[in-house]
Amino acid sequence: MPLLTPKENAMQILVTGGAGYIGSHTCVELLQAGHEVVILDNLYNAKESTLARIEKLGGKAVTFVKGDTRDRACLVRLFQECQIDAAIHFAALKAVNESIQIPLPYYENNVAGTVNLSEVMSEYGCKTLVFSSSATVYGDRNPVPFREDMPVGKATNPYGTTKIMNEQILADLCVSDPEWRVTLLRYFNPVGAHPSGELGEDPNRVPLNIAPIIQDVAMGKRDKLLVTGHDYPTPDGTCIRDYIHIADLAAGHVKALEHMVASPPGCEVFNLGTGKGTSVLELVEAFECVNGVKIPMEYAPRRAGDIAECYADVSKAERVLGWKTQYGIDDMCRDVWKWLHNLNREQREREV
Ligand code: NAD
Ligand code: UD1
């Protein structure tokens, strides 16, 4: 039997990692859709100032708990004090290269954190969870576009392995206990900022993905972009990825959650991407044209573990969730530029 009818019942949602990049944008969408939000974040890679941005854009206050998914006592207190209907579990370490150098903290944080959270949720009878997975689980053997029914591949790094392990753990949980509802969301490449320019990625750790590097070059914080590989079997020789606007990705979470609570229990998987591939050169060109800046580039050798093409088949999410992306590459480039300028202005104002 369905648990709730979406829209009729507002839910109180626990958002782990809710102060981070994807989590913060999703909190805004949840608040705007009428839900209540409890954020659990240890602020390892996020700033407390993000909470005020979420509340301003969401139009409502959130409850914030500074805490860790691995801290059982903290989770127990949270579930005792707040009536949580469902959780969206973003909290994780995400630096691919670092995960190769120091794998144990990745397994500990990403896998033990999920096990701990699921155990406490079970104890408190809250058995509805959305999990942040990644297109990385498709590995390097499946043909593009990636479809949810393709076999999960072998990850090329411990970070990717934690995503595969978590997917398996949560699927097993659903088999073991028929009351659980789990949705695994496989993100493609999230980029951009809130269209208002008032919220965006503001990490404590140095990001190594292409979008923040292009932004750093544009802001003069780095000399140039190193294009890692231009001899791939793609039209311009550079890798192709499926860049999805952060606002579309965030909206996908609300759709997935509302669909899940209205559906029978079990484990479901959805790709969240645009279905369109963009090469590194196309991305740079879009950024330059939209924002009127030059991004100096240099070709460099391929990066270990990269695949030539990665983009989603999004027909399942469109059909089942009624979700469709609204924004394109130009919007992603424009909104992130607006956000960076806002952030810069705030920093200057603090300095005077
Ligand atoms: P992020 O680092 O901005 O956000 C993660 C948040 O979790 C941070 O605020 C951090 O402080 C917090 N956190 C980390 N470990 C914690 C713990 N043990 N307890 C409590 N809080 C903790 O990252 P993001 O880009 O928003 O990613 C969110 C999720 O999406 C992650 O699970 C990530 O692996 C996944 N994902 C991200 C991408 C991407 O490109 N950004 C792609 C695919 C999947
Ligand atoms: C990477 C991770 C993936 C993770 C995802 C989101 C690897 C191998 N994969 O995906 O597991 O889920 O981030 O966090 O790290 N590029 C450059 N120059 C750079 C950086 C990147 O040309 O300085 C190119 C890359 O070769 C790639 C594209 O830009 O073709 C996108 O790179 P990136 O943003 O790191 O994302 P993915 O490799 O798709």
Side-chain angles (χ1 to χ4, degrees), residues 30-311:
L30 287 168
L31 293 171
Q32 287 179 345
H35 302 296
E36 305 289 326
V37 167
V38 177
I39 293 177
L40 174 77
D41 199 303
N42 62 9
L43 299 182
Y44 173 76
N45 198 30
K47 302 190 176 66
E48 202 159 348
S49 53
T50 301
L51 300 170
R53 299 183 198 281
I54 295 171
E55 291 179 334
K56 184 173 175 214
L57 292 170
K60 255 201 304 194
V62 297
T63 303
F64 175 59
V65 178
K66 183 170 182 218
D68 198 294
T69 51
R70 292 161 295 174
D71 180 348
R72 195 182 168 80
C74 167
L75 286 179
V76 165
R77 263 196 317 277
L78 191 155
F79 275 88
Q80 279 172 348
E81 284 167 17
C82 308
Q83 183 61 47
I84 303 291
D85 296 303
I88 307 184
H89 180 32
F90 292 103
L93 301 180
K94 64 164 185 177
V96 171
N97 275 344
E98 186 181 66
S99 80
I100 297 169
Q101 290 148 9
I102 47 162
L104 296 184
Y106 276 72
Y107 288 112
E108 213 248 330
N109 197 345
N110 296 7
V111 182
T114 303
V115 172
N116 206 31
L117 173 68
S118 312
E119 278 175 355
V120 177
M121 287 178 71
S122 268
E123 273 168 40
Y124 284 84
C126 174
K127 300 184 180 178
T128 305
L129 178 76
V130 176
F131 175 70
S132 294
S133 191
S134 164
T136 197
V137 304
Y138 289 108
D140 55 6
R141 297 281 155 85
N142 285 305
V144 282
F146 295 145
R147 261 193 346 259
E148 291 88 344
D149 59 1
M150 287 176 171
V152 163
K154 187 174 170 347
T156 54
N157 54 73
Y159 163 78
T161 308
T162 70
K163 292 297 174 197
I164 294 172
M165 289 170 81
N166 273 323
E167 284 202 359
Q168 187 64 55
I169 288 166
L170 293 169
D172 290 346
L173 186 58
C174 289
V175 172
S176 73
D177 178 347
E179 289 181 356
W180 269 94
R181 287 172 165 81
V182 169
T183 298
L184 308 173
L185 296 180
R186 294 177 178 160
Y187 313 151
F188 282 69
N189 290 62
V191 294
H194 191 274
S196 64
E198 293 188 30
L199 178 67
E201 189 164 19
D202 190 11
N204 299 331
R205 319 271 304 163
V206 178
L208 296 170
N209 294 106
I210 189 158
I213 293 177
I214 293 178
Q215 293 153 29
D216 277 357
V217 175
M219 299 298 279
K221 293 185 188 163
R222 291 182 196 233
D223 292 350
K224 58 184 175 239
L225 167 73
L226 294 178
V227 177
T228 48
H230 65 297
D231 56 351
Y232 285 99
T234 60
D236 67 20
T238 65
C239 287
I240 288 178
R241 294 291 181 269
D242 184 341
Y243 298 98
I244 173 168
H245 194 294
I246 189 71
D248 280 329
L249 187 69
H253 286 74
V254 179
K255 288 280 190 192
L257 183 72
E258 292 179 344
H259 166 76
M260 177 168 56
V261 296
S263 306
C267 185
E268 275 232 66
V269 188
F270 294 100
N271 286 338
L272 293 183
T274 65
K276 286 192 209 76
T278 302
S279 75
V280 172
L281 297 186
E282 285 168 339
L283 180 64
V284 171
E285 195 187 328
F287 195 94
E288 290 183 331
C289 287
V290 169
N291 297 318
V293 289
K294 188 85 200 121
I295 305 293
M297 287 187 297
E298 203 174 285
Y299 288 124
R302 288 182 179 198
R303 198 175 59 172
D306 269 345
I307 56 174
E309 288 185 280
C310 174
Y311 55 93

